[in-house]
Each structure stands twice: as C-alpha cells, then as structure tokens.
Amino acid sequence: MKPWLLAAALLGVGLLVSVSAQAPATDPLIQAMHDEIDRSRKLTVPNLETPYFIEYLVDENESFTVSATLGGLTSRRRDKFRNLDVNVRVGDYKFDNTNYIGSDFVFGSRYDLERFPLENSNPVLRRYLWLATDTAYKSAIEAISRKRAALRNLTVSDQLNDFAHAEPVHIIQNFQKLTLDEDAWSNRVRTLSAIFDRYPDVEASGIEFSAGEGGYYLVNSEGTEVRVPDRTAYLRVRAVAQAADGMGVRDAVAFQAVEAGRLPSDAELTTKIQTLAQNVVALAKAPKGEDYSGPVLFEGVAGPQVFAEVLGRNLSLTRRPVMEPGRNGTFAVSEFDGRIGARVLPESFSVVDDPTLKEWRGRPLFGTYEVDREGVVPKPLRLIDKGVLKGYFLTRQPVRGFEGSNGRARMPGSFGAGTPGISNLFVMTTETSPVADLRKKLLELIAARGKPYGIVVRKMDFPSSASVDEARRLLSGSQSGGSRPVSLPTLVYRLYPDGREELVRGLRFRAFNARSLKDIMAAGDDLTTFEFLDNPAPFALMGGAGYVTNATVVAPSILIDDLELHPLEDELPKLPVVPAPELVR
C-alpha cells in the first residue's frame, strides 16, 4: 500500500502525447488511470529513456476500529482512505530500474501531495496521478542510471531479466459498503475486555476489533484492468503478566473472517479469552525452561503454525538487489533457493497452495482470492510432491530457473518487486497416526535416549504479539546455524514418562529452520485449520507492516526428531514497586 506516479515534469520539455482509442471505462477512477497512462506511455524526452511499463494500483478501504481494556474503551475510529502505488519502469523487460538497492528511493521532485482523493472528480484524480507519476518517472530515470554505474564495477555471470511478461486480464467487480452497528460492536468489545477483571495477576490486556470493506484497482499499460473487493474483519486479544523473577510472559489470540458477521459468537469468544487469561497466569507461575535437545511434538494449532512460518516463508523467493561495491546489506534469503528437485519433507508429504478453493470440509477458506496485486490470475500450485520441492511462490520478478509469475504477488515489496505469499496452503501426508500415538512415540524416544522428559509445543507466537523492541532483540540474538529465527513457542510443556505435563516459560528454538522439516518422524491424523493475517514483517508481527493479507494453512500435528531449545537471555526487569490497584467497579 504505497503511492507513486508519472507524467509531466515533462510537459515543459516537449512531450508527444498519444491518446488511445480505448473504450471509456464506467468507473471514473479507472478512466482517470487510463487517461494518464495514455498520456504518459509514449513520452519523448530528449536524452531520457521513455517508460516501457506504467502501472497504477489504488487500495481503497473503509474501516471501523475500536479497542478496549478492562471494560473501558481506549479508542474508537472510523476511517476511509485511498492509497496509490505507481510502478514506472524505464528500459525494457530484460533490464530496467528495479532490482536495485535504490529502486524505492525518491529522486528529484517530491511533491507535497495529500492523501489520494476520495471523490471521483476526473480533474482532481488526474492531477494527483500526474504529479505522482512525474515523481516516479524521475526516480526511475535516476535509479537506472545508478544501477548501470554500479554494474560497471561488478562481475555478473548470468544476469536475470528484471520483469516478466503477463497476459492482460479484465476483472471488474463491485465493492461493498461497510454497514456495521458501531455502538453494538463498541459495547461488545468493552464487555469482552472486562473478562480480565477476574484475573488480577494479568498486568495488562487489550482487545481490538477492526472491520474493513474495500478492495483495489489495478490498471497498467499492458491492458490489465482490475477492480476486486478485499474484505477483512478481525478481533485480537492480548495479555501480559510478569513472573516472580521479573520475566515478562504473554499470549494472544486472534479471530478473523471476511466480514464481521462471521466472527465467533460471544460465548465462544468468552471461552477463548478466559483460556488466554488462564494461560498467561499459569505462565507467570511456571518454572523457567532449561536447555533441551531432543524430539519435539507440535500438537494442534502449533503444527500449521510451524508450516506457515518455517515452510511457507521459505517457499517465497526474493532476489538480492544490485548494490554498489562495498555497500553492506542484509536480506532475507529462502533456504529453498536453488533446491528444486531436492527432498525437503519426508516422502509421505505433499503441499499444495490453492487460492481458487472457496471452502474446505464445509468451512469457508480465508485465503481465497481471484487475482494478485500484479494483475495475474492464480491457479492451484503443487509445491512439494512426495517430499520433493517442485516450485515456489512467484511474482513477475524472475528468479533463477523461473521467468514468469504464478499469481502469488500478495503484498507490496521492495526494490520494485511484489512480495509473494501463501493463500490456502494444504500440507497433507499419506502416513498418519492418532495424536495419542505421537505422544507415545515421543515417550519411547526419550526413554531410548535416556532423557528425563520430552517437549510438547501447543502454540507458537505466530503471527507474533511481541513489541517491536522485543522483535528486534529476537532478530539481533539470531540463532546459530545461519538461519533466520522463528517465533517463540508460547505454550511449551515437559512431558514426563508417567504422562504428567508441566508448563514451562522463557524458551526459544536454536537453529530451527526449513531443513529441520526433513526430520519429521510422524504426523497426526488430525488436520487443524489455522487462519491468520500475513504481512512481510519478521514473525508476521502484528501491526509490524502497513499491509496484511488473508492466509490459511491446513496441516497435521507433527513430531520432529531432534530440535534444540534454550532459555531466553534477556535482562529481566524488576517487578512493579507499588502493587496494582484493585479492580473494583
């Protein structure tokens, strides 16, 4: 969700304008986009390259958000906005101004534009598009010049194309109006937040509800014309407490649906919030975890959470941008890069991503969509077959071995590229066991290895409810082994030989990465559906990025042979000096 654009810083230097014979669009915004693309696509400016591709993407959203804590509202807001993203490419499909460290920089004129117009006045819309396009064009000219200069000092053996062709599509659908009883939802959130009154050991808690209606418009110079709805409602609940040694503990639960009316009932929400509060209180009283190396059972929702983060994120390939020699930069790299044809899961596993499927086992699927943010229509995609890697999530940015998109550009990205992501990801296996048998297998393994207990994880902190500062600490204290860290396990239990369980706190994984998934020893006969709002931030941090997208993972419980956990090494803060006031109404 970003704005850009192109046109006439060039008006003063003699451009040739060509008006296309395209039939007028019924939507005023789409028509304004076409008008400005037609004016700008055949620019002729002395000594400057002309655009070979222009794209306008406008996100439109009308939302209502309300939050509360301990029975009192902390915020209530209704908002409507449009946000413009302009993609101007100079050069050609083989080599252009993108995939360079400075591709996202604004060079030259930066106009003081307000938010994108809400009203469909053609002169107003075109004036905004004109100025924003002008900025994007000037930046593209500067970026391609600097990119060429950088490459003169680099040796590149096999330069990939910078952009892939795509067939134009025409999908025009109507948006829905946001119709919501705001007072009723405010009262509902207020009442739900008061549940924490019964749990004085919870130091802080909050509930946030948000519902949005809208969608996005996409028009490009290749002929693509898209207007598709994008709807989401969610309710997030967070709670934190502090152990006697000062360690902070937390848990969160999120509910999401395509519209507010599909969120769970008050009875179900109350039960889940009470469970959350009880978990946080229990974590504060639980012993601190110790170093552990051995088998780990990911039970229930923890199974699809692991596949969402450890597998799903590595199925997205991104290219390292061109940089000037000597310039440092850290970029996330997929552990599956270059491993097509290699075994990445046990032979019994297959993985399919299907954005076209609207329901599964009578339940609507959260990750369904018809066209991605680059105007490419997706199809079902077999990513892993019998444990062997067959493909990736691809955008219109070519990666080694793949030239075209498979319609997975789900989020904005960096360096002129979109960010790929999952839709409805199904992780299936032909060899399953009852979950009770997985626990027996875990106990057999620890007995054979002489370990006093095994580890069961029932919930991961993904998407993460950590603060931005905590997320930074987790990233800076990265795991050994060269892999990026995974989110913290929230509910971790020691499973003793007699079947007794003990909740522990303050553990994190060491060197848990995509290669660890080859060591899955067994899978449950359960299939848990995990829905979440994905974003490009590390750990899909809640609120950590300006754009989110709907995603679903269906996967079983799994037993992994050998993983390492070790205690968090943060400095522990002191407990509050003054006791908390009583919660008396």
Side-chain angles (χ1 to χ4, degrees):
M1 287 166 67
K2 301 174 186 174
W4 318 59
L5 293 135
L6 154 355
L10 311 154
L11 286 174
V13 283
L15 24 144
L16 298 178
V17 178
S18 172
V19 180
S20 77
Q22 180 165 348
T26 56
D27 186 295
L29 177 52
I30 291 177
Q31 183 62 59
M33 292 178 176
H34 281 305
D35 290 343
E36 283 307 302
I37 285 179
D38 290 341
R39 281 210 317 141
S40 305
R41 65 189 301 182
K42 294 184 178 180
L43 299 175
T44 301
V45 184
N47 303 318
L48 292 180
E49 298 182 69
T50 59
Y52 79 92
F53 178 84
I54 304 170
E55 178 182 81
Y56 297 139
L57 190 151
V58 173
D59 287 289
E60 179 177 307
N61 187 265
E62 183 178 9
S63 64
F64 173 72
T65 303
V66 61
S67 58
T69 183
L70 299 175
L73 295 187
T74 55
S75 70
R76 173 172 165 163
R77 187 178 69 187
R78 189 177 183 111
D79 193 19
K80 184 174 182 179
F81 72 89
R82 281 174 170 173
N83 194 64
L84 173 67
D85 193 356
V86 182
N87 183 3
V88 175
R89 293 173 180 261
V90 297
D92 54 36
Y93 287 90
K94 184 174 180 60
F95 184 88
D96 66 22
N97 50 286
T98 65
N99 300 314
Y100 165 61
I101 191 67
S103 294
D104 297 334
F105 294 173
V106 176
F107 300 104
S109 304
R110 183 192 291 269
Y111 301 106
D112 188 18
L113 297 173
E114 299 293 334
R115 293 175 69 170
F116 193 79
L118 293 176
E119 295 185 348
N120 288 329
S121 167
N122 185 271
V124 175
L125 292 171
R126 292 187 61 179
R127 178 62 58 123
Y128 196 107
L129 291 167
W130 163 56
L131 290 175
T133 307
D134 180 73
T135 298
Y137 175 68
K138 292 173 179 175
S139 298
I141 289 293
E142 183 69 21
I144 196 170
S145 175
R146 296 189 181 207
K147 180 179 177 182
R148 287 193 177 106
L151 286 171
R152 281 196 288 269
N153 297 306
L154 297 172
T155 300
V156 180
S157 57
D158 183 17
Q159 181 69 39
L160 299 174
N161 291 345
D162 281 334
F163 200 44
H165 290 269
E167 291 297 319
V169 301
H170 181 93
I171 302 176
I172 301 295
Q173 300 173 353
N174 293 327
F175 296 172
Q176 301 294 319
K177 291 281 187 181
L178 180 63
T179 55
L180 205 66
D181 189 332
E182 297 178 13
D183 289 338
W185 271 104
S186 297
N187 290 333
R188 191 179 185 188
V189 170
R190 182 189 289 112
T191 300
L192 291 170
S193 73
I195 293 172
F196 288 100
D197 286 358
R198 309 169 209 166
Y199 301 91
D201 290 335
V202 174
E203 283 188 350
S205 61
I207 296 182
E208 179 188 11
F209 165 77
S210 180
E213 289 279 3
Y216 60 90
Y217 301 79
L218 176 69
V219 174
N220 68 32
S221 55
E222 294 172 329
T224 287
E225 186 180 72
V226 167
R227 184 182 68 201
V228 290
D230 191 3
R231 317 163 67 199
T232 302
Y234 68 81
L235 189 141
R236 289 176 180 160
V237 188
R238 311 188 204 204
V240 298
Q242 203 168 7
D245 60 6
M247 176 182 286
V249 295
R250 58 181 166 77
D251 195 6
V253 62
F255 310 89
Q256 46 272 312
V258 294
E259 58 182 337
R262 296 188 185 182
L263 289 171
S265 65
D266 282 349
E268 183 178 349
L269 290 172
T270 297
T271 299
K272 294 290 180 67
I273 293 170
Q274 289 173 340
T275 300
L276 171 68
Q278 293 162 6
N279 287 343
V280 171
V281 172
L283 282 167
K285 297 177 180 178
K288 188 175 180 180
E290 303 168 336
D291 283 304
Y292 174 85
S293 177
V296 176
L297 172 60
F298 294 91
E299 197 174 273
V301 72
Q305 284 181 311
V306 164
F307 283 112
E309 182 173 18
V310 182
L311 178 71
R313 295 214 148 187
N314 280 295
L315 290 169
S316 300
L317 293 192
T318 54
R319 278 167 56 176
R320 181 183 176 87
V322 173
M323 294 190 298
E324 287 79 5
R327 183 169 184 170
N328 295 323
T330 302
F331 306 97
V333 177
S334 169
E335 296 169 50
F336 290 158
D337 192 3
R339 301 196 64 206
I340 290 293
R343 186 175 72 83
V344 296
L345 286 175
E347 292 181 1
S348 63
F349 277 81
S350 293
V351 178
V352 173
D353 185 74
D354 190 353
T356 69
L357 197 60
K358 295 184 178 180
E359 66 174 33
W360 186 72
R361 294 185 175 179
R363 174 175 177 165
L365 286 168
F366 191 55
T368 303
Y369 66 98
E370 294 189 47
V371 61
D372 75 357
R373 292 176 62 86
E374 292 180 332
V376 179
V377 176
K379 295 180 181 179
L381 177 64
R382 182 166 292 272
L383 295 153
I384 298 172
D385 186 39
K386 296 180 180 179
V388 176
L389 183 65
K390 297 294 186 180
Y392 305 110
F393 299 131
L394 301 174
T395 70
R396 294 186 65 178
Q397 179 191 63
V399 296
R400 200 160 303 283
F402 295 88
E403 173 66 22
S405 170
N406 53 29
R408 264 60 182 189
R410 304 219 60 203
M411 295 169 279
S414 301
F415 317 118
T419 297
I422 68 175
S423 60
N424 300 311
L425 190 73
F426 293 87
V427 181
M428 301 295 185
T429 176
T430 57
E431 298 177 7
T432 63
S433 302
V435 176
D437 289 351
L438 298 188
R439 294 169 64 86
K440 291 178 183 177
K441 178 68 173 176
L442 173 60
L443 293 177
E444 291 171 1
L445 289 170
I446 63 171
R449 299 175 189 181
K451 294 185 176 295
Y453 58 81
I455 289 291
V456 178
V457 177
R458 290 211 175 92
K459 187 177 184 182
M460 299 288 291
D461 184 39
F462 183 85
S464 179
S465 62
S467 67
V468 173
D469 286 342
E470 182 183 353
R472 286 197 185 110
R473 291 197 300 272
L474 291 173
L475 288 171
S476 63
S478 186
Q479 309 169 42
S480 62
S483 59
R484 53 187 171 188
V486 299
S487 56
L488 298 179
T490 304
L491 299 180
V492 184
Y493 300 84
R494 294 171 179 158
L495 178 63
Y496 293 97
D498 61 1
R500 178 173 58 92
E501 289 187 353
E502 181 183 29
L503 180 67
V504 295
R505 59 180 166 87
L507 288 175
R508 71 175 300 179
F509 285 104
R510 187 201 305 268
F512 183 12
N513 54 41
R515 294 177 185 269
S516 305
L517 299 178
K518 291 199 300 183
D519 296 329
I520 295 175
M521 299 188 67
D525 59 1
D526 58 335
L527 282 174
T528 300
T529 300
F530 170 57
E531 300 171 342
F532 67 104
L533 291 173
D534 198 8
N535 69 56
F539 318 118
L541 189 68
M542 294 180 185
Y547 190 89
V548 296
T549 189
N550 304 356
T552 300
V553 177
V554 178
S557 301
I558 52 173
L559 175 63
I560 298 182
D561 182 31
D562 191 23
L563 292 175
E564 294 182 43
L565 293 107
H566 68 112
L568 292 168
E569 299 171 351
D570 291 347
E571 293 185 8
L572 301 180
K574 294 182 179 180
L575 296 172
V577 176
V578 179
E582 292 186 13
L583 294 172
V584 179
R585 296 192 185 280

